[in-house]
Amino acid sequence: MKSYCDTCAIRNRSICAGLKDDEISLLNAIGRRRRLKAGERLLWEGDEAVLVANVIEGVLKLSTQTADGKEQILGLAHSSDFLGRPFGKTTPYGVEALTDAYVCVFQRADFDRVAREHAGLEHKLLERTLGELDRTRRWMLLLGRMNAEQKLANFLLEMSDRRANAGSTGEPGDGIWALPLSRQQIADVLGLTIETVSRQFTRMKKDGLIDLPSRREVAILDRRALEYLAA
Amino acid sequence: MKSYCDTCAIRNRSICAGLKDDEISLLNAIGRRRRLKAGERLLWEGDEAVLVANVIEGVLKLSTQTADGKEQILGLAHSSDFLGRPFGKTTPYGVEALTDAYVCVFQRADFDRVAREHAGLEHKLLERTLGELDRTRRWMLLLGRMNAEQKLANFLLEMSDRRANAGSTGEPGDGIWALPLSRQQIADVLGLTIETVSRQFTRMKKDGLIDLPSRREVAILDRRALEYLAA
DNA sequence: CGCTGACTTGAATTCGCTCAACGCGTGTGG
DNA sequence: CCACACGCGTTGAGCGAATTCAAGTCAGCG
């Protein structure tokens, strides 16, 4: 039988990489593909955790809110990242597509069962979760100890890197690329306000570090200098 | 043969909880206990990751530094928490005992092997890592979106809770307890400066929310009000 | 008793926030 | 086609919370 997974773009980079054929076909049997429009939500914070997913294409955000309604984005999920909370009662954060996206979703119950029965899959999941924890902790440093300029510099560099090595278009360098986030969303990622983000953008542009051909596009002109700012 | 694990205080709360007898005895065979003095380091950031551990007793901190030497504490590990980075190349953060502590350490190579061969252990590890990731993400909200007052209120409540349900002395409530962190360390946890922490402490005391019998002791006098501040 | 290091307090400064106005591109309706 | 409104982003002015810099204060200890 023909399998989705055979032609899957992230077959060798996602959680599925290195799984045995029988494991893949089990996943293939319980997974289904789903397209998301930009802005569409996949999971709601506090919901019963009904599904998990692999990101095939696009960028999604994970976020929570404070009691007074301010949003904090907890992370971004790019191509080949894993989404959702296996083995838990509720989803601890909301998930929303920032760009049009393409995901491979599993019912939690199905996925949990397959994972428990196949140590290989569970091991993959563990490695990915550990990696995600490391990344999240590094982000804490940014939130806790950096000023606006450093935050934005780091953000731009990370976005640029992630799209370089996860992008299907796989361009190497620093051409013009599309920002998948609005100014407000960038502010929510970095723990800043929209005005501060805007001012920093303007300043970096004036200083010749970046160019902003349009609202949703950036080009990194002086990577070295940006890395220096990111300190 | 007599096993350490039989009498272990965290036998049923740590990663070891619910493991089968043969798995426990394997861990018992490769683990050894170690006492740490307050201030002693167990792991260094960037080191080759040579060991992992269970915290039996005490409080340890996980931390990184910025390029310019400021520290950010990434998390605290209490009794029954798991420490270290299995299946990774290097340790992504330093670990240092804040109080005198008692840990159960494993050589990474040994631990990884046992974990890979025993899905039960790996599953435990996965659950714990997922939980840790959730906790870390909630902390991001604190770092990114809260003011000094909210940060400190949250910190005091969390410390109080953690010692209530992890403490071997297991007191229920809001008596006087010892802070395992200096002002500087609290500042590093919350992404603040030492002066700001001190001022907030003073204010909370003046407002009757807490008492500070000595530098290293706190009592929560008005938990309700503190929870309100923590918002 | 004086020294040391941790903590507190005060004053000045600064960075990012708030509030407010404005600009620009896009879509809609007259 | 123009007028207009709307959403998003930018810019400016003023403010305020937290930082920085600089003195104190206090407890523990030789």
Side-chain angles (χ1 to χ4, degrees):
Chain A
M1 179 184 142
K2 190 66 187 149
S3 152
Y4 274 136
C5 302
D6 292 341
T7 58
C8 178
I10 57 165
R11 171 73 177 77
N12 293 311
R13 288 184 294 122
S14 69
I15 206 174
C16 305
L19 289 184
K20 287 183 245 128
D21 286 347
D22 62 322
E23 293 170 330
I24 284 289
S25 65
L26 271 167
L27 284 181
N28 187 59
I30 63 170
R32 91 198 141 71
R33 301 229 165 162
R34 180 163 163 201
R35 286 200 179 281
L36 297 169
K37 287 244 163 270
E40 201 173 338
R41 266 180 125 57
L42 182 64
L43 296 171
W44 280 257
E45 181 181 358
D47 254 28
E48 213 160 323
V50 290
L51 50 83
V52 297
N54 274 316
V55 180
I56 300 171
E57 208 186 299
V59 183
L60 315 246
K61 68 168 191 190
L62 326 180
S63 64
T64 357
Q65 318 229 147
T66 48
D68 58 335
K70 275 186 288 194
E71 185 166 26
Q72 172 70 49
I73 294 186
L74 301 175
L76 299 177
H78 294 73
S79 173
S80 88
D81 284 351
F82 182 81
L83 276 178
R85 178 63 165 89
F87 311 118
K89 194 103 198 69
T90 58
T91 311
Y93 47 78
V95 174
E96 182 183 321
L98 295 176
T99 61
D100 289 354
Y102 199 27
V103 294
C104 174
V105 302
F106 305 93
Q107 290 302 124
R108 258 288 308 284
D110 296 337
F111 185 85
D112 284 9
R113 179 172 41 71
V114 174
R116 297 223 56 149
E117 286 165 6
H118 294 267
L121 177 55
E122 196 153 68
H123 182 74
K124 284 283 164 195
L125 195 51
L126 177 55
E127 287 196 332
R128 204 154 261 278
T129 306
L130 285 164
E132 189 59 30
L133 185 55
D134 290 346
R135 188 132 32 95
T136 304
R137 282 183 164 142
R138 259 178 283 123
W139 208 249
M140 290 177 73
L141 186 63
L142 178 141
L143 289 175
R145 288 291 182 211
M146 290 186 181
N147 62 27
E149 187 179 55
Q150 292 174 304
K151 285 179 177 180
L152 196 57
N154 274 290
F155 170 78
L156 288 172
L157 290 170
E158 170 149 343
M159 286 307 284
S160 159
D161 291 350
R162 300 253 344 198
R163 61 164 265 108
N165 63 20
S168 34
T169 40
E171 299 134 33
D174 296 342
I176 296 171
W177 41 278
L179 271 177
L181 290 80
S182 70
R183 296 290 186 270
Q184 181 60 61
Q185 288 164 339
I186 296 172
D188 292 336
V189 171
L190 300 177
L192 296 170
T193 58
I194 183 175
E195 295 95 329
T196 301
V197 171
S198 179
R199 281 187 249 272
Q200 292 297 331
F201 264 125
T202 308
R203 198 147 85 80
M204 286 181 179
K205 179 175 177 176
K206 206 177 57 196
D207 295 350
L209 302 188
I210 60 172
D211 192 22
L212 300 167
S214 81
R215 291 179 166 187
R216 286 297 192 121
E217 289 174 309
V218 208
I220 295 180
L221 301 179
D222 188 345
R223 173 170 290 261
R224 196 57 56 87
L226 212 51
E227 279 164 355
Y228 178 76
L229 286 189
Chain B
M1 179 183 142
K2 190 67 186 148
S3 150
Y4 274 135
C5 302
D6 292 342
T7 57
C8 178
I10 57 165
R11 170 74 176 78
N12 294 309
R13 288 184 294 123
S14 70
I15 207 174
C16 306
L19 290 184
K20 286 185 245 126
D21 285 347
D22 63 320
E23 292 169 331
I24 284 288
S25 64
L26 270 169
L27 283 181
N28 188 60
I30 63 171
R32 91 200 142 72
R33 301 234 168 157
R34 177 159 165 205
R35 287 199 180 281
L36 296 170
K37 287 246 164 265
E40 200 173 339
R41 264 175 146 11
L42 181 63
L43 296 171
W44 280 259
E45 181 180 358
D47 254 26
E48 214 160 323
V50 289
L51 49 83
V52 297
N54 274 316
V55 180
I56 300 171
E57 210 185 298
V59 182
L60 314 247
K61 69 166 190 191
L62 327 180
S63 63
T64 356
Q65 317 229 147
T66 48
D68 58 333
K70 276 186 288 192
E71 186 167 23
Q72 172 69 49
I73 294 187
L74 302 175
L76 299 176
H78 294 73
S79 172
S80 88
D81 284 351
F82 182 81
L83 276 178
R85 178 65 165 87
F87 310 117
K89 193 104 198 67
T90 58
T91 311
Y93 45 78
V95 174
E96 181 184 322
L98 295 176
T99 62
D100 288 354
Y102 199 27
V103 294
C104 175
V105 304
F106 305 92
Q107 289 302 123
R108 259 287 308 284
D110 296 337
F111 185 85
D112 284 8
R113 181 173 40 73
V114 173
R116 297 223 57 149
E117 286 165 6
H118 294 268
L121 176 55
E122 196 154 68
H123 182 74
K124 284 282 164 196
L125 195 50
L126 177 56
E127 287 196 331
R128 204 155 262 278
T129 308
L130 286 164
E132 191 60 29
L133 184 55
D134 290 347
R135 188 133 32 93
T136 305
R137 284 185 162 142
R138 258 178 282 121
W139 208 251
M140 290 177 74
L141 187 63
L142 177 142
L143 289 174
R145 288 294 184 208
M146 290 187 181
N147 61 27
E149 186 179 54
Q150 291 174 305
K151 285 179 178 180
L152 195 57
N154 274 290
F155 171 77
L156 288 171
L157 290 170
E158 172 150 341
M159 286 308 284
S160 159
D161 291 351
R162 296 271 303 205
R163 58 164 266 108
N165 63 20
S168 34
T169 39
E171 297 134 33
D174 296 341
I176 297 171
W177 42 278
L179 270 177
L181 290 81
S182 71
R183 296 290 186 270
Q184 181 60 61
Q185 287 164 339
I186 296 172
D188 290 338
V189 171
L190 300 177
L192 297 170
T193 58
I194 183 173
E195 295 95 330
T196 302
V197 171
S198 180
R199 280 186 248 272
Q200 292 297 332
F201 264 124
T202 308
R203 198 146 84 82
M204 285 182 180
K205 179 175 178 176
K206 207 177 58 197
D207 295 350
L209 302 188
I210 60 172
D211 193 21
L212 299 167
S214 83
R215 292 181 164 188
R216 285 296 191 123
E217 289 174 308
V218 208
I220 294 180
L221 300 179
D222 188 345
R223 172 170 289 262
R224 196 57 56 89
L226 212 52
E227 279 163 355
Y228 178 76
L229 286 190

